[in-house]
């Protein structure tokens, strides 16, 4: 019997990795698989030139994959190099074995031998399988549970009232220093959050399709920027190919199709097509959650009757950002976040700190 071999992925593995994704659908109300283009690691390499993936081979077939992208983050006031684990998938025929465990252990070992200080992993809530990775067994260090994330999928079906105190427009180049300072102040309330310098922000604007200043919105009050967000279409790099719909979603889709003849409705979910969505990323406010809520409402309004079905927002489940979201129409999905760290003392400090983790753009990749 041939053994399973693990090695770093390269461009020659692209077609087999894309083929693996098709064999690993994410099941739920909407069953889909993730399709990355034009290469399996295009976006990760734009964000981090040192990003990498590990593949599991059985003979000539790719049966498993896991990746890590790095970014600088402030952790309890100090700057660390953090890895974020993504693209964990295993061919269905090998899920009952040790393939997934071997991939995660190899990824964590790779991080521990590198100059990264920790790695964060995110697993769907109520999925018990990943618990084997976090319990400190089989050569893996114990992981700390960082909390629950909420992925709120806004469905733009009705116009929402805006707060007239704020003028909404697109920022210009002269606004970049003010936006970066707004981010710096906003993320200081979190235990872990990416460091966003002006150079890093400008690099996003220049290199990532769909993240130019034309894709940002700001809310101003008396000329001052009180809130900011980007409305990002990630389809040049990643899409969710729809395979099946449960009964409830089929009913909703039929209703949207019918109502679209009379009013502005979101793009319907269609089988064997990508799920059309936008993501609210790089958001922040200047102690003014009402301004950020106004931006989200504006994003909802301008997306009505557009080519998009959903607008995704990622945040910790108990984040104050959700206090203003009860008027939105949408669907929530939850995930659990864990951290493995080289420094056991840092884990103890994080245990004692109740602050949340903010990684909105990282979790979308």
């Amino acid at each position: 019997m041939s053994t399973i071999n693990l090695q770093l992925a390269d461009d020659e593995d692209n077609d087999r990795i894309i083929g693996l994704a098709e064999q690993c659908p994410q099941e739920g109300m909407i069953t889909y698989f993730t399709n990355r283009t034009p290469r399996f690691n295009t976006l990760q390499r734009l964000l981090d030139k040192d990003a990498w993936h590990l593949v599991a081979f059985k003979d000539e077939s790719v049966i498993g994959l896991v990746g890590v992208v790095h970014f600088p983050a402030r952790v309890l006031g100090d700057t660390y190099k953090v890895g974020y684990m993504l693209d964990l998938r295993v061919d269905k025929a090998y899920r009952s074995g040790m393939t997934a465990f071997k991939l995660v252990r190899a990824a964590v070992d790779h991080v521990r031998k590198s100059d990264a200080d920790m790695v964060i992993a995110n697993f769907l809530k109520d999925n018990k399988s990943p618990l084997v990775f976090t319990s400190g067994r089989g050569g893996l260090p114990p992981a700390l549970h960082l909390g629950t994330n909420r992925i709120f999928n806004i469905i733009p079906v009705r116009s929402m009232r805006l707060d007239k105190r704020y003028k909404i427009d697109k920022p210009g180049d002269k606004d970049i220093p003010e936006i970066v300072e707004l981010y710096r102040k906003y993320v200081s309330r979190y235990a872990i959050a990416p460091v966003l310098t002006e150079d890093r922000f400008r690099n996003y604007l220049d290199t990532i399709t769909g993240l130019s200043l034309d894709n940002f919105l700001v809310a101003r009050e008396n000329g001052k920027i009180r809130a900011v967000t980007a409305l990002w279409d990630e389809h040049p790099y990643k899409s969710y190919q729809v395979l099946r719909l449960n009964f409830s979603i089929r009913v909703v889709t039929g209703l949207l199709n019918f109502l679209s003849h009379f009013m502005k409705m979101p793009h319907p979910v269609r089988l064997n097509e990508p799920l059309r969505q936008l993501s609210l990323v790089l958001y922040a406010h200047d102690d003014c959650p009402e301004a950020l809520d106004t931006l989200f409402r504006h994003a909802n309004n301008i997306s009505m009757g557009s080519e998009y079905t959903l607008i995704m927002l990622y945040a910790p489940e108990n984040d104050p950002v959700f206090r203003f979201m009860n008027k939105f129409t949408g669907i929530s999905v939850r995930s659990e976040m864990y951290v493995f760290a080289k420094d056991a003392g840092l884990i103890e400090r994080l245990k004692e700190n109740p602050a949340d983790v903010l990684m909105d753009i990282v979790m979308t990749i």
Side-chain angles (χ1 to χ4, degrees), residues 304-315:
M304 291 178 59
S306 72
E307 62 182 297
Y308 300 102
T309 306
L310 303 172
I311 308 171
M312 286 200 306
L313 172 67
Y314 284 79

Side-chain angles (χ1 to χ4, degrees), residues 3-150:
T3 59
I4 296 173
N5 297 308
L6 305 182
Q7 64 185 56
L8 289 173
D10 59 33
D11 287 346
E12 293 180 358
D13 300 318
N14 187 68
D15 291 345
R16 286 178 290 185
I17 289 173
I18 290 175
L20 173 67
E22 296 178 15
Q23 302 303 315
C24 300
Q26 179 67 59
E27 297 184 359
M29 290 184 292
I30 300 174
T31 298
Y32 62 86
F33 72 85
T34 304
N35 182 32
R36 294 192 178 276
T37 56
R39 312 289 295 181
F40 71 92
N41 60 356
T42 300
L43 180 57
Q44 289 90 344
R45 287 294 178 87
L46 287 175
L47 291 166
D48 168 29
K49 63 181 179 60
D50 296 323
W52 49 266
H53 281 76
L54 282 171
V55 287
F57 281 97
K58 184 73 176 290
D59 298 324
E60 296 298 316
S61 299
V62 170
I63 64 167
L65 179 74
V66 67
V68 171
V69 61
H70 311 89
F71 58 95
R74 295 285 288 176
V75 182
L76 301 179
D78 297 315
T79 301
Y80 293 88
K81 184 175 181 179
V82 176
Y84 181 76
M85 191 180 298
L86 69 164
D87 286 346
L88 177 60
R89 54 179 64 109
V90 175
D91 188 283
K92 187 176 294 186
Y94 297 90
R95 290 178 191 170
S96 60
M98 294 292 292
T99 305
F101 184 82
K102 289 178 180 178
L103 277 166
V104 172
R105 185 172 62 185
V108 172
D109 286 345
H110 196 80
V111 169
R112 293 165 81 181
K113 294 174 184 176
S114 73
D115 62 345
D117 299 292
M118 64 189 74
V119 60
I120 291 173
N122 204 24
F123 304 110
L124 281 178
K125 188 176 178 63
D126 299 325
N127 181 1
K128 304 302 181 184
S129 298
L131 294 180
V132 68
F133 309 140
T134 64
S135 59
R137 299 194 299 249
L140 278 171
L144 174 66
H145 180 231
L146 292 173
T148 302
N149 296 310
R150 181 181 175 191

